[in-house]
Amino acid sequence: MNRVLREINKQKPAYIFIAPSFLLFTVFLIIPVFASLYWSFTEYNILQPPKFVGFQNYANILFHDPRFWKAMTNTVIFVVGTVPTSIAISLLLAMAIDQNIRFKNWFKTFFFIPSITSIIAVSVIWKWLYASGKYGLFNHFLSSVGIPPVNWLGIDWTLPSIIIMSVWGGLGYNMILFIAGLQGIPQVFYEAAEVDGASDWDKFRNVTLPLLRPTMLFVTIMSIISAFQVFEQVYIMTYNSEGAVGGTLDCALTIVAYLYETGFQRFAMGYASALAYLIFFVLFIVTIVNMKIVEKKIEY
Amino acid sequence: MRGHKTVKNIGRLLLPLAALLMISLPGCAKKTGEKEILMWLVGSEKQAQEITELGLDFYRETGVRVSCEAISWGEAHSKYLTSVVGEVTPDIGTMGLTWGTEFGSLGAMVDLRKEFPEDLDQISKNIFPGLAESIRFNDSVFAVPFDMSEYIMFYRSDLIKSPPRTWKELTSLLSDLNVSGKSMIIDWGGLGWIGYCPYLWQNGGDFYNKDRTAATLDTEEAAAAMRFFTDLYKKYQVPLENKPVEQSFRVGDHPVFISGNWKMKSLADVAPELNGKWAIAPLPAGPTGKRTGFIGGRVMGIFSMSKLKDESWEFIKYLSRADIQVKLYEATLESHDTYLPPNMKTWDIMPMDASFKGPLKEQAMDSKGPPSVLGWDDSTRFIDTAIQLIVLKGKDVKAALSEADRELDIRRKH
């Protein structure tokens, strides 16, 4: 005991500085994480004490819950729709801005603005842009070039609409990361490639991409994780006067939106906790697979 | 020994923090000996402030202070629920219409019918019948109406000579409008149970039987109402997607729409140039001759854990008084809130344009609220799904309704 205290004492200032965030972290993250692991094996509605039911929640979700699979499908569509598109476009933007162009910082700011804007505010504005018939701005543009109006927030288009908006909203953040990654590539590699007579495409394919791999890994994993947990956009775009989220016939119900409904509207806390752990499990697997794919050694 | 000092030092650091926490704990700042009712209001800060101001008059009359705090709709339900679990409820809660029954049946709210029977009768006999029915749960009443919102029909009086008074007149008006590509909007509720319920009731149907012992969506009345409702969308071009109502009403593409009374305010705000060119009317009557609409609103009740039950009840009675409701109504005219008084007597003395007051009162007299059945809130999404499957996917009306009927029965509790 004494020794431990003496050790602590040596690093006193460090521990004092760590203490508040450690405390907050423990109370509001670590404890809830384990509590909800326990709840995921119970039936719990907040009011009555939790009742242990074993794996029943998990079994019900996986085998008897079509809405879970609908939400899962929608979420996968969302991830596949946003992540590659967003990465491709933001890499393109990053490379364009990384050239010696004028107004470089102006462009960076311009594309980064959506990232510092609250996604709630963005969604509200885009909901207006997406307004149906001739009333929305997008439909107005479409009709001015002779395309009939699209029912953006109707049953077929809600999810694609949210995807388009999310790609736009996420561009700037990824772009900044890519710019940083590009600037970390030593110029000598390009010079060497030029001496060897490489074309622009060769340089991109054989110098830029491999050396950008760490950034790419980070951006991909973070994008997938955050896309998998998409919620705010779905909430704002689809909630109705009764507070239901997910749109007509669950056309844009994503997994976190479903979790929200189960946990915080129906108060099926046990079921919602099991859902949360399933989401965690899926993300865990996806991340490991991701790292395995990109894990070849960094070629400096 | 030095270790000890560290602990002391940390303690010294934490002390001011703890002190801060103590100060901010609610209630600590209250003067001793003075009673104060805490009221939560689902709604805007502004309205909570108005009630706190009304509370000053109440304080002068009774010596009991009132403080009203606003909570937002989005988090209100969970906030009430957690306050019940954590035993930190306010004295008075103002909440969604169906929540009183929900919390009351958990034992979290005072049964007003048991505790204050005579007073409650005085209040009940003056509130609109549909609301009175909605707050009664078996033999109990856990909350009384704070305000109300009702379904009403809006039409452009410069474009439409007289509003449709029956289903037949409605469809013939829509046929005429359809010729020039125009139609009507069903705004509040849309493709959900709120959109559908007026037709169900106007056709003599209901969600449950009289004793609330069984769901009745598998009846012929419900099916016929659903067919009529579906036809509005499919045959008479009521738009399936959300349209900006005020905008399309202004340009005349949809010179009729059905929505809640709050649109009166937003029309006046958004399209002032239309003032005098639009009017409101009760819904068109169905085959039964009834023009039944939907009525919702907020209710207020007393939490069982309150230590000031009698004082809280006095304040609820105060807010139910006609002269006080007029004050509340006038105050909300200036803010962006809408408030319609649930006390019928208030309507005799409140200042409102007669061309609005007439139809609103007539509609409110023939309106129904959500059924007072435990498990109703969990059931509504199955009705919504049935409606959407029928209208959007062409599912058979009877099949979809009997599926919903089954779900309603499974979730119905006593």
Side-chain angles (χ1 to χ4, degrees):
Chain A
M1 191 64 192
N2 249 334
R3 260 190 61 197
V4 178
L5 280 179
R6 213 174 302 139
E7 276 303 306
I8 291 179
N9 207 18
K10 253 192 242 164
Q11 309 288 345
K12 199 160 60 181
Y15 283 108
I16 290 175
F17 278 116
I18 292 171
S21 50
F22 177 73
L23 206 73
L24 287 175
F25 196 70
T26 313
V27 172
F28 293 108
L29 209 81
I30 309 280
I31 294 176
V33 160
F34 284 102
S36 74
L37 177 63
Y38 167 65
W39 288 336
S40 75
F41 296 105
T42 63
E43 204 184 300
Y44 180 38
N45 66 354
I46 297 192
L47 297 164
Q48 278 102 20
K51 199 176 87 200
F52 192 78
V53 293
F55 280 93
Q56 204 189 316
N57 286 331
Y58 290 95
N60 284 346
I61 292 171
L62 293 173
F63 304 115
H64 305 290
D65 190 351
R67 292 187 82 205
F68 167 76
W69 290 108
K70 175 81 184 163
M72 209 44 155
T73 317
N74 282 343
T75 308
V76 170
I77 294 174
F78 181 83
V79 172
V80 172
T82 51
V83 176
T85 336
S86 172
I87 288 180
I89 301 178
S90 53
L91 180 58
L92 213 71
L93 285 174
M95 294 189 38
I97 288 175
D98 197 40
Q99 310 299 316
N100 275 326
I101 56 166
R102 296 181 61 158
F103 310 118
K104 209 172 179 166
N105 284 329
W106 194 87
F107 277 117
K108 277 191 212 168
T109 317
F110 182 78
F111 287 112
F112 198 66
I113 284 177
S115 305
I116 52 163
T117 312
S118 147
I119 189 73
I120 300 284
V122 169
S123 305
V124 170
I125 303 281
W126 277 66
K127 204 174 174 180
W128 291 339
L129 300 179
Y130 277 141
S132 68
K134 62 183 182 189
Y135 303 102
L137 198 60
F138 288 148
N139 278 337
H140 178 78
F141 287 142
L142 286 184
S143 64
S144 65
V145 293
I147 302 172
V150 172
N151 183 11
W152 293 103
L153 295 177
I155 190 163
D156 299 320
W157 270 95
T158 309
L159 195 55
S161 297
I162 296 175
I163 290 177
I164 294 171
M165 186 195 82
S166 305
V167 167
W168 173 85
L171 277 184
Y173 184 72
N174 289 348
M175 180 197 73
I176 294 291
L177 290 173
F178 278 129
I179 290 177
L182 286 173
Q183 284 168 353
I185 300 176
Q187 206 56 37
V188 287
F189 288 108
Y190 290 108
E191 284 161 13
E194 266 161 44
V195 171
D196 290 343
S199 68
D200 283 345
W201 171 248
D202 289 333
K203 277 194 280 182
F204 173 72
R205 179 73 193 74
N206 297 316
V207 178
T208 312
L209 268 190
L211 292 178
L212 212 52
R213 194 166 269 152
T215 315
M216 192 64 95
L217 176 70
F218 178 76
V219 168
T220 311
I221 290 178
M222 295 315 281
S223 302
I224 290 179
I225 290 177
S226 73
F228 211 89
Q229 300 179 345
V230 57
F231 174 69
E232 294 92 335
Q233 299 94 305
V234 177
Y235 181 84
I236 296 292
M237 294 274 189
T238 65
Y239 75 85
N240 66 13
S241 53
E242 295 161 43
V245 181
T248 313
L249 293 175
D250 292 338
C251 63
L253 184 76
T254 57
I255 195 77
V256 176
Y258 186 47
L259 172 82
Y260 168 79
E261 188 202 296
T262 325
F264 300 100
Q265 291 188 313
R266 286 196 275 134
F267 292 95
M269 282 299 171
Y271 201 84
S273 299
L275 271 175
Y277 268 88
L278 283 173
I279 297 174
F280 168 76
F281 189 68
V282 172
L283 280 178
F284 190 68
I285 302 278
V286 169
T287 307
I288 286 179
V289 169
N290 231 318
M291 289 174 79
K292 281 271 174 276
I293 293 175
V294 200
E295 201 186 37
K296 289 179 213 156
K297 60 177 188 296
I298 315 295
E299 305 161 35
Y300 273 103
Chain B
M1 280 319 278
R2 283 194 64 194
H4 228 80
K5 232 173 157 185
T6 315
V7 177
K8 250 190 198 160
N9 278 342
I10 293 176
R12 222 173 280 156
L13 267 173
L14 288 177
L15 224 104
L17 245 170
L20 263 172
L21 272 172
M22 298 280 272
I23 293 168
S24 59
L25 274 178
C28 286
K30 212 195 296 173
K31 269 181 263 167
T32 43
E34 206 163 62
K35 291 176 180 170
E36 187 179 56
I37 302 171
L38 176 63
M39 174 171 173
W40 282 1
L41 176 84
V42 197
S44 70
E45 288 288 345
K46 181 92 176 105
Q47 207 161 33
Q49 211 181 324
E50 282 154 9
I51 289 175
T52 306
E53 268 160 40
L54 280 176
L56 289 178
D57 293 338
F58 181 75
Y59 173 65
R60 265 170 236 128
E61 282 179 29
T62 61
V64 178
R65 285 198 181 276
V66 178
S67 125
C68 183
E69 293 172 4
I71 53 178
S72 71
W73 274 103
E75 58 167 11
H77 189 265
S78 55
K79 203 160 175 181
Y80 276 122
L81 207 53
T82 39
S83 81
V84 170
V85 179
E87 303 188 0
V88 285
T89 57
D91 299 295
I92 303 177
T94 307
M95 51 185 79
L97 190 51
T98 53
W99 305 355
T101 303
E102 184 193 337
F103 298 143
S105 61
L106 294 169
M109 301 198 74
V110 173
D111 183 354
L112 304 172
R113 196 135 178 230
K114 220 163 92 195
E115 297 294 322
F116 313 101
E118 292 97 33
D119 284 350
L120 182 69
D121 282 345
Q122 284 301 314
I123 294 179
S124 299
K125 72 171 195 220
N126 284 329
I127 58 180
F128 286 99
L131 277 178
E133 191 190 313
S134 245
I135 56 170
R136 194 173 304 122
F137 176 65
N138 297 336
D139 288 327
S140 306
V141 170
F142 296 106
V144 295
F146 169 77
D147 74 341
M148 65 184 202
S149 313
E150 54 171 315
Y151 238 111
I152 196 84
M153 188 168 69
F154 295 74
Y155 66 100
R156 287 278 298 266
S157 44
D158 56 339
L159 303 175
I160 294 167
K161 271 186 221 99
S162 71
R165 277 162 308 163
T166 61
W167 283 13
K168 263 217 179 79
E169 287 183 31
L170 174 65
T171 49
S172 79
L173 169 72
L174 290 181
S175 301
D176 290 348
L177 289 175
N178 288 165
V179 174
S180 49
K182 296 172 178 176
S183 184
M184 172 177 89
I185 291 181
I186 300 178
D187 179 53
W188 184 16
L191 284 179
W193 69 272
I194 293 181
Y196 164 65
C197 67
Y199 306 96
L200 176 67
W201 291 327
Q202 289 160 13
N203 199 34
D206 207 339
F207 295 107
Y208 301 94
N209 62 9
K210 265 237 144 37
D211 311 328
R212 313 230 184 277
T213 50
T216 51
L217 278 179
D218 53 355
T219 56
E220 190 45 52
E221 288 87 1
M226 184 64 83
R227 279 186 214 107
F228 181 77
F229 183 63
T230 312
D231 277 351
L232 292 180
Y233 287 101
K234 289 192 158 169
K235 242 161 108 182
Y236 299 105
Q237 298 172 25
V238 170
L240 289 164
E241 64 271 18
N242 287 325
K243 297 253 179 192
V245 178
E246 293 86 351
Q247 183 64 4
S248 64
F249 190 62
R250 176 161 64 184
V251 297
D253 287 350
H254 298 95
V256 198
F257 72 90
I258 296 175
S259 187
N261 56 279
W262 60 83
K263 283 287 178 198
M264 293 167 58
K265 183 141 186 73
S266 57
L267 273 180
D269 287 347
V270 177
E273 72 273 24
L274 278 189
N275 281 351
K277 291 183 184 163
W278 58 270
I280 55 172
L283 302 183
T288 57
K290 284 191 293 185
R291 314 179 77 161
T292 317
F294 178 72
I295 197 165
R298 288 173 283 182
V299 293
M300 49 191 171
I302 305 166
F303 281 94
S304 316
M305 271 166 243
S306 165
K307 292 195 178 68
L308 299 168
K309 292 196 183 84
D310 291 329
E311 291 81 357
S312 298
W313 177 243
E314 284 306 314
F315 190 59
I316 288 181
K317 267 162 60 187
Y318 182 77
L319 287 178
S320 303
R321 256 164 56 181
D323 57 325
I324 300 301
Q325 291 193 344
V326 170
K327 279 189 190 167
L328 211 48
Y329 171 74
E330 284 175 331
T332 48
L333 280 184
E334 286 154 35
S335 62
H336 244 290
D337 299 293
T338 47
Y339 169 89
L340 282 185
N343 182 341
M344 290 185 280
K345 283 209 171 134
T346 314
W347 286 70
D348 299 334
I349 52 170
M350 66 193 266
M352 188 194 240
D353 193 307
S355 67
F356 290 142
K357 200 195 251 187
L360 279 177
K361 194 171 177 194
E362 191 187 339
Q363 183 71 75
M365 292 301 290
D366 187 359
S367 282
K368 278 163 95 109
S372 148
V373 169
L374 265 191
W376 165 253
D377 285 333
D378 280 339
S379 307
T380 52
R381 86 187 149 84
F382 295 96
I383 307 173
D384 295 354
T385 305
I387 292 169
Q388 291 161 5
L389 284 173
I390 291 167
V391 177
L392 298 170
K393 302 278 177 186
K395 185 164 177 160
D396 178 62
V397 170
K398 284 233 144 176
L401 279 177
S402 57
E403 267 167 41
D405 185 87
R406 208 159 40 240
E407 296 290 348
L408 257 62
D409 269 332
I410 293 172
R411 279 162 183 78
R412 180 178 45 81
K413 296 170 211 148
H414 287 286

